[in-house]
Amino acid sequence: MANDLSSPALSENGTIDAQDADKIQLKYPEPSTGSQFKEFIKTVIRFSGDLSSLTCPAFFLNGLSLLEYGTYWGDHPQSFTAIPAATEPQERMLEVARWFMSTLWGSYASRCTNGLNEKKPYNPVLGEQFFCKLGDVDCICEQVSHHPPISAFYLEDEKTGISLNGHCGQKSKFKGTTIRVDQVGRATLYLKKWDEQYVLDFPVLNIKGFLTAASYIDLSGTCTIACTNGATTVMEFLPKPWFGGESNCIKGSVSYGGKEYYTLSGRWSHKSYYSISGDSAKHLLFDADAEPMAERVTAPLEQQHQYETHRLWGPVTEALKVKNYTVANAEKSKIEELQRQLKKQREATNEVWKPTLFQFLEDSDKGDQYVARNTQLKDLMIGHHDLDNGAWTYSKSLHQRGN
């Protein structure tokens, strides 16, 4: 059933007044939650800070922890592990662009297809961890900060000599009728065979349709992938025009040594293409419709520790599956209350909490070659980005282990 919005009036700065939230004619999939959803909309509209600090009612949760989103970088492990096989620098960069494109559908579209709508993930608790296998790729995630929320992730295939370190936080604000999410952080790809590093940043997320409970993500901004070999990819995300035109379009280029080798085009949510410079013929880069996401293989629940994602949030997720929002809210509150108690205990004893799997490498540490390269590449990013002043890095990362 379609969701309708009766066009509440916009103020002079393009926002909706909280009192106008009542003008929304909501046809929410769960009728019993309609009044709660309207109250939640009012809270969002009134809120002036980072929306990530808001407590979200259970009926608007998607049953996933935000920490698990780090696994989307390995959605298509064959694209990830194929990168080191390319022999020329510009070809490797094209393969990196192909892999990056393969991560986007899962990250930003998979949860709002086939009649589903984008909903809010669980806010990971401090120290929460997630482990899985994606084909031949190992994935490790840890929540390294709660205020502000920051998730660190690591992917590796030791056999092909490739790894990815990254971290991501979110700064969310309600603007007009859209929630804008600026993603804070970066990811560093390492190829052991070529002793290369690639640094990439993240697009801006625009969550649209929120006011009608039919949310979806539209990407905007420019992403850069810069490599120590001198190759770069610049990719621009084009939001859907107000009138006509396709959604989720991209355009970009792959360059090396001051020369553009490939141009990029298409739709990140469907098919994307590359063209060899000087040739108008298009070649398939990635087809999101034809490539299924890899299965996340995890340990049995009984073998997981207390702070592993599926064991921690399991009772909430099971309640959401049967739409028992009363139980889901109660189980969610238990988790949140325990975290508040643990925080008070640390404050009382002046304990400084530290992650167990990741360490923060500050850009100012010029004595570390890995860090120095990251800092050098960070300076090549195009556009305005919040790349942080360092990088969360897995303590047993491939680049630290030698030959």
Side-chain angles (χ1 to χ4, degrees), residues 224-250:
T224 306
I225 308 173
C227 181
T228 49
N229 67 21
T232 59
T233 291
V234 178
M235 190 178 301
E236 183 180 357
F237 295 87
L238 309 174
K240 189 180 187 306
W242 280 102
F243 302 102
E246 291 185 313
S247 60
N248 305 335
C249 292
I250 59 109

Side-chain angles (χ1 to χ4, degrees), residues 32-179:
S32 62
T33 64
S35 61
Q36 297 178 58
F37 185 69
K38 280 191 177 182
E39 289 303 314
F40 183 55
I41 288 177
K42 290 179 182 179
T43 302
V44 171
I45 293 172
R46 293 189 190 105
F47 199 77
S48 59
D50 186 351
L51 294 176
S52 62
S53 61
L54 281 180
T55 298
C56 183
F59 65 82
F60 203 65
L61 295 171
N62 67 9
L64 295 171
S65 171
L66 185 60
L67 186 64
E68 293 180 71
Y69 285 30
T71 66
Y72 291 126
W73 292 93
D75 269 347
H76 301 279
Q78 68 279 5
S79 296
F80 183 68
T81 58
I83 295 171
T87 57
E88 298 298 326
Q90 69 273 15
E91 293 174 355
R92 285 196 295 281
M93 179 56 82
L94 182 65
E95 292 304 313
V96 172
R98 189 193 309 276
W99 157 72
F100 178 61
M101 191 62 59
S102 79
T103 71
L104 299 177
W105 190 87
S107 297
Y108 308 119
S110 61
R111 299 174 303 278
C112 42
T113 58
N114 298 322
L116 301 176
N117 301 315
E118 185 67 65
K119 292 187 176 183
K120 189 179 183 301
Y122 307 136
N123 289 332
V125 306
L126 192 63
E128 181 179 333
Q129 297 175 353
F130 185 76
F131 307 89
C132 74
K133 190 89 170 177
L134 298 145
D136 294 328
V137 177
D138 294 307
C139 182
I140 298 169
C141 307
E142 183 174 28
Q143 190 70 9
V144 294
S145 175
H146 189 64
H147 295 292
I150 299 174
S151 302
F153 52 88
Y154 179 73
L155 282 78
E156 176 190 306
D157 177 28
E158 186 174 23
K159 183 178 179 180
T160 54
I162 185 171
S163 66
L164 178 76
N165 276 290
H167 73 279
C168 187
Q170 296 78 32
K171 294 180 179 179
S172 309
K173 287 190 176 182
F174 187 75
K175 300 187 68 174
T177 59
T178 298
I179 295 177

